[in-house]
Amino acid sequence: MIVMTPEAGEAEIAAVRKRLETTGVHVLVLPGELTTAIGAIGDPEGVRELGLEGMAGVDRVVPISRPYKLASSELAHHEPTVFEVAGRVVGGEQTFCLIAGPCTVESREQTLDVARTVAAAGASMLRGGAFKPRTSPFAFKGLGVAGLEILAEARAQTGLPVVTEFLDTNHADAIAQHADVVQIGARNMQNYALLEVAGRMRKPVLLKRGLSSSLDELLMAADYILKEGNERVMLCERGIRTFETATRFTLDLSAVPWLKLHTHLPVIVDPSHASGDRRLVEPLARAAAAVGADGIIVEVHEDPDEALCDGPQALYARDFAGFADRVTAHAALAGRRLSQTSRAP
Ligand code: PEP
Ligand code: MN
């Protein structure tokens, strides 16, 4: 939409129309009481390149179409995206993914213990970080490749597919070898080189929303993965920065139904990082189910007091089965059953 200044006359309007027509867009002149607006329907890139802002009589150019393309539910013929991770369905209206595990792989024993606990409680996938993005460079950054190997062992023992964070393109081979789902952390949502490499890995990607990113920006980040030909992307709302400091971040629950309207991609909620407080994790997990999320990702630890990272938000492993049952009951109210493999383990 090109908004003309109140002073713009016929000649200026005609000049804008003529320039627009060189790109083949459909032009619609909309005279108003104070100003005239000119609608251009067609390729926004072509219009952007015309430099209309510099023309006489033009006040501003306002893009009306959505800035994200491949992630948009407006994309012609696009049904909601549904895919499987080792037999667990992600997306669609029928299933609810319960992704659980430690924040960080700290040791073989700790990871295998938690993996067994969450598997026994019916979890869909195991989460765990081997490469950790830490706010301080002096904090524990994970076990690296040794951590990935522990996750692979946990998968072999429990049958659960592994979700793990990819934070450096140098780790691409190791991540591609061990991850079933490649997690892009909040801090890397706009690391475009990383998104492109993740897109080329041909593995499902869990893309977390940046700490201060808008939903438009999240969907444009998803476009970076989708444009590499990788359709298997799930978005994750994990809380955003607001003026409120009582919780670690503010869980934007409205993001879930908004995303359901504007994108075909599945949406997962992370109540652990959003709240930073295990006492809030279950109510927020239930709320996520109620508001239409395709699943949740939560942190669990056998002994959270001793956790090397994010202990205060980790659910006690001994409480996890009850937690899973109650959240599953809420998901059932939303018409979803737990996403589990139909194949024999
Ligand atoms: C995580 O899932 O371990 C993590 C670091 O989350 P986020 O990127 O959302 O902070
Ligand atoms: Mn964490």
Side-chain angles (χ1 to χ4, degrees):
M1 181 79 71
I2 295 90
V3 182
M4 305 300 286
T5 61
E7 298 76 35
E10 292 297 326
E12 279 115 359
I13 292 168
V16 171
R17 172 195 270 276
K18 197 159 162 230
R19 191 174 294 185
L20 280 169
E21 281 169 352
T22 61
T23 66
V25 293
H26 181 68
V27 181
L28 214 60
V29 177
L30 308 159
E33 249 175 57
L34 282 177
T35 58
T36 293
I38 304 173
I41 305 163
D43 173 29
E45 286 308 317
V47 171
R48 211 164 288 139
E49 283 164 16
L50 292 176
L52 298 171
E53 288 91 343
M55 291 183 73
V58 172
D59 181 23
R60 59 194 190 277
V61 178
V62 189
I64 304 285
S65 69
R66 310 218 180 274
Y68 42 89
K69 306 293 171 208
L70 304 175
S72 173
S73 46
E74 283 179 349
L75 197 69
H77 319 301
H78 218 302
E79 296 295 315
T81 291
V82 183
F83 53 87
E84 283 190 17
V85 179
R88 282 82 176 166
V89 176
V90 184
E93 303 288 302
Q94 318 276 308
T95 60
F96 191 78
C97 270
L98 176 56
I99 307 172
C103 172
T104 306
V105 175
E106 298 168 7
S107 71
R108 181 170 175 273
E109 191 194 8
Q110 164 252 3
T111 303
L112 296 182
D113 281 352
V114 178
R116 281 190 286 262
T117 301
V118 302
S124 316
M125 302 183 208
L126 175 68
R127 63 147 290 144
F131 296 100
K132 296 299 299 179
R134 300 307 301 273
T135 303
S136 162
F138 308 114
F140 177 60
K141 294 212 211 53
L143 295 179
V145 173
L148 293 176
E149 286 164 358
I150 293 170
L151 288 167
E153 191 178 347
R155 173 182 46 221
Q157 283 200 13
T158 60
L160 293 181
V162 163
V163 182
T164 197
E165 182 160 353
F166 175 40
L167 55 69
D168 181 335
T169 52
N170 289 321
H171 307 149
D173 290 344
I175 294 285
Q177 189 184 339
H178 295 296
D180 296 292
V181 175
V182 177
Q183 176 174 328
I184 301 290
R187 288 155 192 80
N188 274 316
M189 188 201 86
Q190 288 180 309
N191 182 341
Y192 301 123
L194 189 74
L195 297 176
E196 285 174 342
V197 174
R200 290 197 287 271
M201 271 185 193
R202 302 283 170 266
K203 300 232 173 198
V205 175
L206 185 149
L207 174 63
K208 293 191 133 192
R209 180 181 184 181
L211 320 185
S212 301
S213 294
S214 68
L215 294 171
D216 275 8
E217 289 163 342
L218 171 63
L219 293 180
M220 285 189 271
D223 270 357
Y224 271 90
I225 302 165
L226 296 167
K227 83 172 167 61
E228 297 302 323
N230 187 350
E231 284 268 307
R232 293 181 294 168
V233 177
M234 48 185 131
L235 305 170
C236 180
E237 163 58 39
R238 47 78 71 212
I240 50 174
R241 282 252 153 93
T242 67
F243 58 82
E244 182 56 77
T245 53
T247 48
R248 187 175 176 191
F249 294 94
T250 298
L251 182 62
D252 182 8
L253 278 173
S254 349
V256 180
W258 188 93
L259 286 167
K260 291 280 161 187
L261 286 176
H262 293 93
T263 178
H264 51 86
L265 298 172
V267 183
I268 305 291
V269 168
D270 177 345
S272 304
H273 290 90
S275 65
D277 179 341
R278 81 173 59 82
R279 297 168 300 176
L280 306 190
V281 170
E282 184 175 328
L284 294 177
R286 289 192 255 123
V291 85
D294 294 288
I296 54 168
I297 178 166
V298 290
E299 292 188 341
V300 187
H301 201 286
E302 297 285 339
D303 188 1
D305 292 343
E306 296 299 319
L308 295 179
C309 182
D310 288 350
Q313 70 198 34
L315 298 169
Y316 283 95
R318 62 172 183 269
D319 295 338
F320 185 74
F323 166 87
D325 283 349
R326 293 186 293 275
V327 174
T328 304
H330 278 262
L333 292 176
R336 295 173 187 262
R337 61 186 158 69
L338 218 49
S339 184
Q340 288 166 323
T341 178
S342 49
R343 293 182 209 136

